[in-house]
Amino acid sequence: MGVPFEALIPYGIIVAMFGVTGIGLSATKYLGNEGKAARWNRDTWDKVMMERDLRITGTLRGQYGGVEAPKGFEVSNPWKVEKRIF
Amino acid sequence: MLANLISILEGILLIVPALISVAFVTIAERKTMASMQRRVGPNAVGYYGLLQAFADALKLLLKEYVAPTQANIVLFFLGPIITLIFSLLGYLVVPFGPGLFVSDFDLGMLYMLAVSSLATYGILLAGSLRSTAQLISYELILSSAILLVILLTGTLNLISIVESQRIIPFLYPLFPLFLVFFIGSVAETNRAPFDLAEAESELVSGFMTEHSAGIFVFFFLAEYASIVLICILNSVLFLGGYSIRASFPRIRFDQLMSVC
């Protein structure tokens, strides 16, 4: 007697639940990334570039085509504009 | 505001299916064991007994709480809650697909190990030195096996570990290590033949014998949540995680011809 098919149904549901999480996360990532796929497997260089995009355009996924940095770029570094406690 | 809503939504999307799959792991285990022992297993509640776990949970939640008179009530109730919370926290860094994660944490593996170690405190609070000794001992084996994978990949990030297995899953080059890790996982999750902490024939239900009703559900969920989590870890470390679908390298044509 082999494994009856009804013993395999719960395994199918478990796999389906992982699918639910995956599809749901895919939807939320698109929602949170301005309609683009989430960036993944980022190295330090990617993170620095995203930080730069945030400073230039205001969002992590923003793009800017100008040859010169927009006004205010030089002071948009959080380390420079943070309020000193002492 | 939108970012906060998305974070909450991601949390729900992670925890709810995880808990549902944990419920179905219990059914899967019971049905599989039943088929191996020529029984039908649970087959009365829902289609083919699929809703048995929910019926069990409902029954336990409606039962009366009983605590030993000499027990420290706060710690007695805190133990199962700590175990469940730390078992579920491990899911935070699990990669579900390329770019599909709740937290792309650079120290993901370290976080997962730390959280699973903290879950041991819940069992310690429940009063089981036997189970704690077992969990701590086998955690060393698991950590050593994981360290070798980290040495190969050079990263603690789970997504990077999966990505470094695009060409060949670590199962092949590290097969002996996989066996060690697998045995360690069975011991870590208190499954037979390492179920000494529970030892049904001698200790009834082990350290959770005195726990009843809702807090027993917490212990039960925590146990199966850690089983699912360690299965995910097995998959991520040795089977290529989500990239298992199409990870065969294509050989050159002359190599193909030289095979025949």
Side-chain angles (χ1 to χ4, degrees), chain B residues 158-179:
Chain B
L158 288 175
I159 295 170
S160 304
I161 290 173
V162 170
E163 288 304 317
S164 55
Q165 296 176 69
R166 278 270 175 197
I167 305 299
I168 183 166
F170 288 148
L171 174 71
Y172 302 118
L174 299 178
F175 188 70
L177 191 68
F178 172 72
L179 289 181

Side-chain angles (χ1 to χ4, degrees), chain B residues 40-254:
Chain B
V40 273
N43 66 343
V45 189
Y47 290 103
Y48 300 110
L50 284 177
L51 299 177
Q52 183 67 48
F54 299 99
D56 287 346
L58 195 65
K59 179 202 78 177
L60 282 167
L61 288 172
L62 292 174
K63 280 180 112 174
E64 183 192 356
Y65 287 93
V66 181
T69 46
Q70 297 299 313
N72 184 330
I73 297 296
V74 176
L75 293 183
F76 187 74
F77 284 94
L78 203 60
I81 295 169
I82 285 179
T83 315
L84 179 62
I85 288 174
F86 284 116
S87 298
L88 290 175
L89 273 178
Y91 284 82
L92 196 70
V93 288
V94 172
F96 286 88
L100 303 181
F101 46 78
V102 172
S103 170
D104 184 15
F105 193 26
D106 277 341
L107 301 174
M109 188 51 78
L110 198 64
Y111 166 82
M112 217 177 212
L113 281 174
V115 160
S116 67
S117 307
L118 285 171
T120 315
Y121 279 101
I123 293 166
L124 192 62
L125 288 182
S128 174
L129 293 177
R130 181 171 166 148
S131 182
T132 310
Q134 181 181 337
L135 290 180
I136 290 175
S137 309
Y138 275 91
E139 216 163 76
L140 290 178
I141 294 180
L142 284 183
S143 307
S144 309
I146 290 170
L147 271 180
L148 281 173
V149 175
I150 291 167
L151 200 69
L152 269 182
T153 55
T155 176
L156 286 160
N157 188 322
L158 288 175
I159 295 170
S160 304
I161 290 173
V162 170
E163 288 304 317
S164 55
Q165 296 176 69
R166 278 270 175 197
I167 305 299
I168 183 166
F170 288 148
L171 174 71
Y172 302 118
L174 299 178
F175 188 70
L177 191 68
F178 172 72
L179 289 181
V180 170
F181 188 82
F182 182 76
I183 293 167
S185 345
V186 174
E188 183 77 8
T189 51
N190 285 329
R191 297 288 99 189
F194 299 102
D195 57 342
L196 305 175
E198 194 168 321
E200 206 152 18
S201 53
E202 347 164 355
L203 303 177
V204 188
S205 187
F207 58 89
M208 33 180 139
T209 309
E210 282 85 22
H211 292 80
S212 58
I215 46 169
F216 178 78
V217 176
F218 287 171
F219 257 141
F220 206 68
L221 281 176
E223 189 177 339
Y224 281 88
S226 63
I227 289 172
V228 176
L229 191 65
I230 215 132
C231 291
I232 293 172
L233 207 55
N234 259 302
S235 167
V236 166
L237 289 175
F238 294 101
L239 302 174
Y242 55 79
S243 67
I244 202 163
R245 59 204 153 77
S247 52
F248 288 112
R250 180 180 293 138
I251 54 174
R252 275 200 327 264
F253 197 75
D254 58 313

Side-chain angles (χ1 to χ4, degrees), chain A residues 1 4-7 9-11 13-14 17-18 20-22 24-26 28-29 31-32 38-42 47, chain B residues 6 9-10 13 17 20-21 24-25 27-28 31-32 35 48 50 96 98-101 104 106 160 163 232 242:
Chain A
M1 189 179 115
F5 80 96
E6 57 190 82
I9 299 172
Y11 292 104
I13 295 172
I14 294 163
M17 283 302 133
F18 279 98
V20 167
T21 308
L25 282 180
S26 172
T28 55
K29 292 292 174 192
L31 205 64
R39 296 194 68 172
W40 49 287
N41 206 17
R42 295 165 298 177
K47 286 173 187 165
Chain B
I6 287 173
L9 197 62
E10 283 180 350
L13 278 168
I20 293 173
S21 63
F24 279 103
V25 168
I27 298 286
K31 291 291 263 187
T32 311
S35 68
Y48 300 110
L50 284 177
F96 286 88
L100 303 181
F101 46 78
D104 184 15
D106 277 341
S160 304
E163 288 304 317
I232 293 172
Y242 55 79

